[in-house]
Amino acid sequence: AQREAVAKRYRFIAIDRRYFGTAPWPDTGVRISQETDADDLAALIRALKIEPTVLVGPSGGANVVLITALRYPELVRALFVHEPGLRSIVTDSADRRLVSDADADRMAQAAAAAGNMADAARLVVDRNSGPGSFDRLPATLKQMFIDNARALTVPGPREPAEPITCQQLGRIRVPVTITEGALTGPARRIMDAAAHRCIPQSQLVTIPNAHHGAPRENPSAFNEALLAFLAQTEGVVG
């Protein structure tokens, strides 16, 4: 829902992440991690000779572009992230209990391991966007989540193996916008607020009438915020 709006003025490159989609895996999934995604993204940026560039990522993709900015700051001009899920930057004990999704993660991984990819996809989507969200998706998006669910068959954390700290995020010096859906649940909002506090120069923008899936639930408002950010960061050197 972003390509057509953004590509009218900017070069738009969408990443087909390793282990996602339907392509054969290059291995047993031993390298599934957001760090691998960040390294792949950095290699692609260098291969295309487009550094420094603006990185845009929702959800897990938001984590990936933040990791990329920390590991490869010379490649990044600006960051636009939607609801990064970094539990490691939440320090309040009550908040940490609220953002813990360990049980939900285990349930989704167990469903995928049993071959129930639709059930695994439903658990992931409904956890992030509310009960019934998966069943309301268009058929093409349902299939996308089902195809991607096989990444859950590999045990392990969905977040970085080496937890990112608030202090590390504070080292990001490029322009950053963090967006969140107005209808997003409290756990995600806690992590959004933490990321906003940790990155002093960031701005936090609310997307109306949307949950965690704001880029597809309210693409017009999400695209408006993204295009405004891109216009503001034109000419910024990372």
Side-chain angles (χ1 to χ4, degrees):
Q2 279 63 60
R3 182 187 293 277
E4 183 177 353
V6 174
K8 290 177 180 178
R9 181 165 181 178
Y10 303 96
R11 185 179 184 186
F12 182 103
I13 301 170
I15 309 303
D16 182 9
R17 290 162 63 185
R18 189 193 304 228
Y19 303 113
F20 287 79
T22 57
W25 284 1
D27 49 46
T28 60
V30 65
R31 293 194 61 204
I32 287 181
S33 71
Q34 293 177 352
E35 290 97 332
T36 293
D37 288 334
D39 292 342
D40 286 348
L41 177 56
L44 180 63
I45 291 170
R46 287 183 172 135
L48 295 175
K49 296 180 172 59
I50 56 174
E51 68 272 24
T53 190
V54 179
L55 300 182
V56 182
S59 190
N63 292 4
V64 170
V65 300
L66 287 170
I67 294 168
T68 305
L70 292 173
R71 286 190 169 194
Y72 308 99
E74 72 281 4
L75 303 182
V76 179
R77 182 158 61 87
L79 299 170
F80 190 93
V81 294
H82 178 70
E83 298 194 5
L86 294 174
R87 302 182 186 103
S88 58
I89 63 173
V90 178
T91 55
D92 180 81
S93 58
D95 285 346
R96 286 186 67 83
R97 286 193 295 272
L98 189 58
V99 303
S100 175
D101 273 341
D103 290 341
D105 286 343
R106 281 194 291 268
M107 290 173 62
Q109 289 177 350
N116 300 323
M117 300 305 178
D119 289 344
R122 181 177 286 103
L123 285 164
V124 170
V125 174
D126 287 2
R127 177 189 68 195
N128 286 317
S129 297
S133 296
F134 178 80
D135 291 331
R136 290 192 294 269
L137 290 175
T140 53
L141 282 178
K142 283 182 183 177
Q143 190 60 53
M144 180 193 75
F145 282 109
I146 291 171
D147 291 340
N148 289 342
R150 64 176 175 157
L152 296 170
T153 60
V154 178
R158 301 298 109 187
E159 288 187 36
E162 296 183 8
I164 291 175
T165 66
C166 187
Q167 183 179 16
Q168 285 175 306
L169 288 185
R171 298 174 191 153
I172 295 176
R173 293 291 181 261
V174 297
V176 179
T177 283
I178 302 164
T179 60
E180 68 178 6
L183 306 178
T184 287
R188 284 281 177 182
R189 297 180 76 86
I190 287 170
M191 291 186 282
D192 298 338
H196 180 40
R197 287 194 301 271
C198 293
I199 306 175
Q201 80 283 11
S202 66
Q203 59 176 336
L204 182 62
V205 176
T206 300
I207 307 300
N209 304 314
H211 301 82
H212 183 61
R216 64 175 183 275
E217 293 175 5
N218 192 351
S220 59
F222 183 86
N223 295 347
E224 182 180 356
L226 174 56
L227 289 168
F229 178 74
L230 292 174
Q232 293 167 7
T233 56
E234 285 184 22
V236 172
V237 177

